[in-house]
Amino acid sequence: MNKFCMTAICALVAAPAFAESHMAADAMAKAGLSYGVRPAFLVSKMADGPLKDELAACLGNTPERTAFSIGHRGAPMMFPEHTAESNMAAAAMGAGILECDVTFTADKELVCRHAQNDLHTTTNIVATDLAEKCTTPFTPASGDASATAECRTSDLTLAEFQTLEPKMDASNAQATTAEDYLGGTADWRTDLYVDDATLLTHAESIALFDSLGADFTPELKSPSVEMPYDGFSQEDYAQKLIDEYKDAGIDPSRVWPQSFNLDDVMYWIEAEPEFGAQAVYLIDDSSIEGLDGMDASTWGFEPSELKAQGVNYVAPAIPFLLTLNDAGEMVPSELATALTEADIEIITWTLERSGPLANGGGWYYHTVTDAIDSDGDYFEVLDVLAQDVGVAGVFSDWPATTTFYANCKGL
């Protein structure tokens, strides 16, 4: 029996759909890696110049897996996030690291969801018999009031969660029926790959990612319920995440556990030092109110002090690592420079979350909007992040882009 079967046999017996996903993963691995058409499309949209010429010369290269390319919830630009299929697609694009955002069910089992309270937008729950268990059941749109719902993994047992059907993360605010509420997918995404997509527990994600030849970056999501939850403390939650890698026999050097909560990071550093050495402190202006990459007084921490506490990785969102100089060119922010000077590795997120960039890219590029006006600017951003900021990895909603860039640059 191979290693995958030993670590995941119980899940395979209990979940035939997941077993089928593993067989599909084997087939995908044998088919080899592929950039697909997107990198060439993005290169075609670039302004003429040395970077475009360099990347164009690489378009015929054979893809190679790289840890620089991190699958953000898999490949959710086109596949339902945190599903087996989304992660298989990301791995097929050469993502060397895959992400399971971790939350928990009513019976305290760990599952992959971006938030504990997102089932109403990422699954079909509001149109099932489980809808009555939702924290806030579906309410149709009426007059000026939008349709609403809030459904949490903690509203369900694991067995109930596993009966749901995943879908693209979206909802129809104008819906008057639960079925209509399931719509709303952005027009630059697609529902083509939703059919029969497979939900994942955290343990199943470990087995799947390992079988795909990828490493792991689980994120401990902030609970929507008050902690402790039925005796389950925040420390229990953080420990259970690590324990599932230990139970699966995964070497700590392959795992980058993440959290926006610095206390979680410090817990891993102190309680599980082998895993804590690669713990990632995530930051943005929702976790650190008023965060400004150009104003150290807003950071809420001193990089050298974080390093002294054992924090070796910090992951700011893209806009906090970039700014514009007087010539209107993208350059590293003061935060990026300070983290580098403190010998802290930088990871960033999330490329291709914004869709087409003709409008300046939205929140993910709000500090450099004046330099963003076409999809080709994805590569311009990547180049500054990689060459000037020196990031160790980039989360992407379509990892072929980051894989292609990293392969071309030898990262």
Side-chain angles (χ1 to χ4, degrees):
M1 185 179 291
N2 64 30
K3 180 180 178 183
F4 171 77
C5 292
M6 288 190 292
T7 59
I9 190 166
C10 293
L12 297 181
V13 171
F18 182 68
E20 292 172 5
S21 295
H22 177 56
M23 290 187 285
D26 286 342
M28 190 172 291
K30 291 174 183 175
L33 305 183
S34 173
Y35 295 135
V37 299
R38 185 158 176 78
F41 170 78
L42 296 180
V43 170
S44 76
K45 296 297 182 182
M46 295 178 69
D48 291 340
L51 180 60
K52 181 177 182 177
D53 293 342
E54 181 181 7
L55 295 177
C58 292
L59 287 172
N61 289 359
T62 300
E64 296 182 9
R65 193 174 311 283
T66 170
F68 182 86
S69 182
I70 306 172
H72 178 245
R73 318 182 202 178
M77 179 182 285
M78 299 182 75
F79 288 80
E81 64 185 45
H82 289 311
T83 59
E85 292 75 13
S86 185
N87 283 288
M88 287 188 290
M93 297 177 202
I97 302 174
L98 299 173
E99 177 190 44
C100 169
D101 287 327
V102 178
T103 188
F104 57 87
T105 59
D107 45 353
K108 309 181 191 74
E109 295 297 330
L110 303 185
V111 296
C112 300
R113 288 291 91 195
H114 181 248
Q116 190 169 49
N117 63 340
D118 74 359
L119 293 182
H120 51 288
T121 63
T122 62
T123 75
N124 69 332
I125 187 170
V126 298
T128 73
D129 291 341
L130 292 172
E132 63 187 25
K133 292 197 167 192
C134 289
T135 295
T136 305
F138 170 72
T139 300
S142 179
D144 293 333
S146 297
T148 59
E150 183 187 357
C151 305
R152 303 175 178 178
T153 58
S154 54
D155 293 333
L156 309 177
T157 64
L158 176 60
E160 290 169 332
F161 169 81
Q162 290 177 316
T163 68
L164 299 176
E165 297 177 4
K167 68 180 193 69
M168 296 298 282
D169 184 12
S171 62
N172 177 6
Q174 303 307 312
T176 56
T177 68
E179 289 73 16
D180 286 345
Y181 187 74
L182 301 179
T185 301
D187 59 10
W188 47 271
R189 291 184 170 139
T190 181
D191 291 318
L192 281 174
Y193 306 110
V194 169
D195 192 37
D196 291 332
T198 313
L199 293 172
L200 291 171
T201 67
H202 178 233
E204 287 171 344
S205 80
I206 295 171
L208 178 64
F209 299 176
D210 193 30
S211 76
L212 293 167
D215 291 337
F216 317 85
T217 185
E219 180 186 338
L220 196 73
K221 302 303 294 190
S222 298
S224 298
V225 295
E226 186 175 348
M227 299 292 277
Y229 173 75
D230 190 26
F232 189 55
S233 69
Q234 185 70 23
E235 292 77 14
D236 294 334
Y237 180 30
Q239 185 62 51
K240 186 164 186 172
L241 181 148
I242 299 299
D243 286 345
E244 293 196 344
Y245 289 93
K246 295 166 74 173
D247 292 345
I250 301 297
D251 191 292
S253 66
R254 297 179 61 197
V255 184
W256 285 264
Q258 314 170 72
S259 180
F260 280 97
N261 182 348
L262 184 57
D263 288 343
D264 294 336
V265 174
M266 297 310 303
Y267 174 83
W268 291 323
I269 290 170
E270 295 165 8
E272 293 285 353
E274 288 188 287
F275 289 90
Q278 294 189 161
V280 181
Y281 179 33
L282 295 157
I283 60 172
D284 69 359
D285 57 2
S286 63
S287 64
I288 301 176
E289 186 175 356
L291 180 65
D292 182 338
M294 297 301 290
D295 183 354
S297 70
T298 69
W299 301 348
F301 62 87
E302 164 53 49
S304 62
E305 292 178 4
L306 272 189
K307 181 68 176 182
Q309 291 175 286
V311 178
N312 295 315
Y313 292 84
V314 174
I318 288 171
F320 305 105
L321 294 175
L322 301 179
T323 190
L324 297 179
N325 63 17
D326 290 342
E329 302 163 327
M330 286 183 281
V331 294
S333 69
E334 291 183 8
L335 174 60
T337 300
L339 290 171
T340 299
E341 290 176 348
D343 194 29
I344 291 175
E345 293 277 6
I346 302 171
I347 299 169
T348 193
W349 48 279
T350 302
L351 201 76
E352 296 183 274
R353 189 73 186 161
S354 297
L357 299 186
N359 64 356
W363 181 85
Y364 283 96
Y365 305 93
H366 70 263
T367 58
V368 292
T369 295
D370 288 347
I372 303 291
D373 60 15
S374 81
D375 286 354
D377 289 324
Y378 276 123
F379 281 130
E380 303 290 351
V381 169
L382 262 180
D383 201 51
V384 177
L385 290 170
Q387 305 304 319
D388 300 328
V389 175
V391 299
V394 178
F395 284 88
S396 178
D397 275 21
W398 199 247
T401 302
T402 40
T403 300
F404 168 73
Y405 174 86
N407 288 173
C408 190
K409 290 288 189 174
L411 300 177

